[in-house]
Amino acid sequence: MSIRRSINGLVVSLLLGPLYFSPMAQGYFGLTARKGLYFLQSERIGSIPGSALSNNAKPGPCKHLSLRGKQRRLCKREPGIGHSLIEAARLSAWACQDQFKMERWNCSIGKHRLNILKRGFKETAFLYAISSAGLVHTFARACSSGRLDRCTCGKTKNKNTETWKLGGCGDNIKFGTRFSRRFLKARDTDSNSEDFRAKIDEHNTNVGLRIVKKNIQKVCRCHGASGSCSIKTCWKQLAPFVSTAELVKEKYDAATLVKTDMNSAQKMPMSMIALRKTENGEDVEEGVPLPTELVFSERSPSFCKNGRYSFGTQSRRCEKTSNCGVICCGRGYNSQIRTVFKPCNCRMHWCCELKCDNCTFQEDHFLCK
């Protein structure tokens, strides 16, 4: 069963800069290409992702999500699922903002995001991959943290079933992947699984899932008298999502242009053909894309001016020594001196309390013209 385009984008709209959403800001989690998953009522995400939301989320989270059919039934199986869906949206939102904060396209909000989702750009590919990665990451962690009733810790590698009591609780990557695939494959009756864009979106969604499964760590703990390792328990643990987001960004930077291999008799897209550049810059057909690389079917716009796909880069902050030329699109930049307050002269008080002074610094800020 194919994952059709209208449900599996799993994308999040967010504002750049301070991590706040305006009252009508869409928290888009890509379940359709026309409206968001839910609306964040001026709610702060926080600078560090990954905190559990079940303690603060309002009752009945599924009622506030744009779900229907099988997806709504999956969400209602238990309260922890709805809370985890919201957390996955926030995690993906944070990652998108963090990875593109110093580039021309910066995960802009609202109509720009929705317009991008209608096209086959590299940015669309990233959004699908980072959002599916956020989904499986969040649900794998939700199992190990006890926020879901239908799963528990991931299995350890130890043959002695009693040693789990001495070890840690591994992230249940198997459950996270299985649930994510099931959730994404919930289909509406008006979907066309043979649509070429649907094939591209499914491919990019699977790239995100693959990255999470590959980006795991083996954690071990020794037990025994005087710190000996007579008993050792090991379990799988997901890498921090920052690391996963960086890998998705690397895939974005190396994304492959594809076209459809049209069957002239049936007039149906049969497969994707990769187009790779030669030394003289020409695109040549080179087989099918790898299952590990992001793909796109349309060249991206410049994102330099306010328009259909972005707010443009005017007044955007840049780094003088690295990317002002790129972000400012050759228009140049203005410099400003701003006063900032940062902790300094930190020292440990007694054993456990860190005390710092609040110091004033002058910083140069560079803003695109």
Side-chain angles (χ1 to χ4, degrees):
M1 184 183 294
S2 299
I3 306 173
R4 53 132 188 76
R5 179 178 61 181
S6 63
I7 62 170
N8 73 342
L10 296 179
V11 193
V12 191
S13 293
L14 62 157
L15 290 174
L16 190 69
L19 297 182
Y20 283 90
F21 288 86
S22 65
M24 293 304 294
Q26 287 187 349
Y28 190 76
F29 196 43
L31 300 177
T32 76
R34 293 174 294 278
K35 63 180 180 178
L37 175 71
Y38 75 115
F39 291 85
L40 300 166
Q41 299 295 329
S42 297
E43 190 172 2
R44 185 169 184 171
I45 298 178
S47 58
I48 303 297
S51 58
L53 302 180
S54 55
N55 294 331
N56 300 321
K58 295 181 179 180
C62 297
K63 295 181 180 179
H64 304 290
L65 308 180
S66 282
L67 304 174
R68 54 181 176 174
K70 293 181 180 179
Q71 287 183 333
R72 179 170 292 277
R73 291 194 292 273
L74 282 172
C75 184
K76 288 183 176 180
R77 290 198 311 182
E78 57 177 284
I81 292 178
H83 295 150
S84 296
L85 285 173
I86 295 175
E87 182 170 353
R90 293 183 175 185
L91 188 63
S92 300
W94 178 88
C96 186
Q97 177 186 18
D98 183 59
Q99 292 299 314
F100 289 90
K101 60 187 175 184
M102 298 303 289
E103 299 197 16
R104 285 183 184 177
W105 180 70
N106 59 2
C107 262
S108 54
I109 193 174
K111 64 178 183 179
H112 300 114
R113 171 64 52 76
L114 299 181
N115 288 334
I116 285 178
L117 286 170
K118 297 174 183 177
R119 306 298 294 270
F121 300 147
K122 285 176 61 177
E123 291 70 28
T124 314
F126 177 87
L127 292 169
Y128 275 77
I130 196 65
S131 299
S132 62
L135 187 67
V136 65
H137 182 100
T138 300
F139 274 84
R141 284 281 172 87
C143 292
S144 59
S145 63
R147 285 182 283 134
L148 295 177
D149 296 334
R150 293 174 180 263
C151 63
T152 182
C153 305
K155 293 182 179 180
T156 68
K157 294 292 185 179
N158 305 285
K159 296 181 179 180
N160 184 352
T161 57
E162 294 298 320
T163 58
W164 68 270
K165 298 178 181 179
L166 304 174
C169 182
D171 296 321
N172 197 330
I173 302 164
K174 183 177 181 180
F175 176 88
T177 303
R178 185 172 66 247
F179 177 87
S180 298
R181 290 190 182 279
R182 184 179 179 186
F183 185 81
L184 292 171
K185 285 182 179 180
R187 290 156 54 99
D188 295 326
T189 57
D190 60 350
S191 67
N192 180 7
S193 62
E194 297 300 327
D195 179 75
F196 185 54
R197 262 300 305 278
K199 290 182 179 296
I200 291 177
D201 297 341
E202 178 180 4
H203 178 99
N204 291 326
T205 297
N206 287 331
V207 171
L209 298 177
R210 285 174 178 270
I211 289 175
V212 176
K213 292 180 67 176
K214 292 291 184 180
N215 197 26
I216 60 176
Q217 303 168 339
K218 182 180 179 181
V219 180
C220 296
R221 179 178 298 172
C222 290
H223 317 279
S226 302
S228 66
C229 207
S230 56
I231 300 177
K232 182 169 71 172
T233 54
C234 298
W235 61 94
K236 291 181 179 180
Q237 180 175 299
L238 291 168
F241 198 68
V242 172
S243 174
T244 299
E246 290 173 350
L247 292 176
V248 179
K249 179 58 165 57
E250 291 177 7
K251 299 290 186 181
Y252 163 87
D253 292 333
T256 299
L257 178 66
V258 295
K259 73 172 187 177
T260 179
D261 179 17
M262 183 71 73
N263 183 300
S264 58
Q266 298 181 359
K267 301 297 183 183
M268 292 293 291
M270 302 303 293
S271 62
M272 291 183 289
I273 301 297
L275 299 175
R276 306 188 190 278
K277 286 191 176 297
T278 61
E279 293 182 358
N280 58 8
E282 295 181 355
D283 291 327
V284 296
E285 296 183 8
E286 192 175 301
V288 297
L290 299 174
T292 56
E293 59 185 343
L294 291 179
V295 298
F296 65 100
S297 59
E298 299 179 78
R299 303 286 187 187
S300 300
S302 67
F303 299 112
C304 288
K305 296 181 180 180
N306 185 10
R308 184 173 177 81
Y309 302 112
S310 76
F311 289 108
T313 62
Q314 186 176 6
S315 300
R316 283 274 307 280
R317 185 181 176 184
C318 63
E319 297 292 340
K320 180 180 179 180
T321 59
S322 59
N323 62 2
C324 280
V326 174
I327 290 187
C328 299
C329 304
R331 299 188 304 265
Y333 54 87
N334 297 316
S335 60
Q336 298 179 354
I337 298 178
R338 295 185 180 182
T339 301
V340 296
F341 300 94
K342 295 182 179 180
C344 62
N345 303 325
C346 297
R347 62 270 182 195
M348 190 64 70
H349 182 69
W350 292 102
C351 74
C352 311
E353 183 180 1
L354 183 66
K355 290 189 175 182
C356 301
D357 297 329
N358 196 21
C359 298
T360 302
F361 298 91
Q362 301 291 323
E363 288 187 353
D364 290 326
H365 283 219
F366 303 95
L367 306 177
C368 293
K369 293 183 179 179

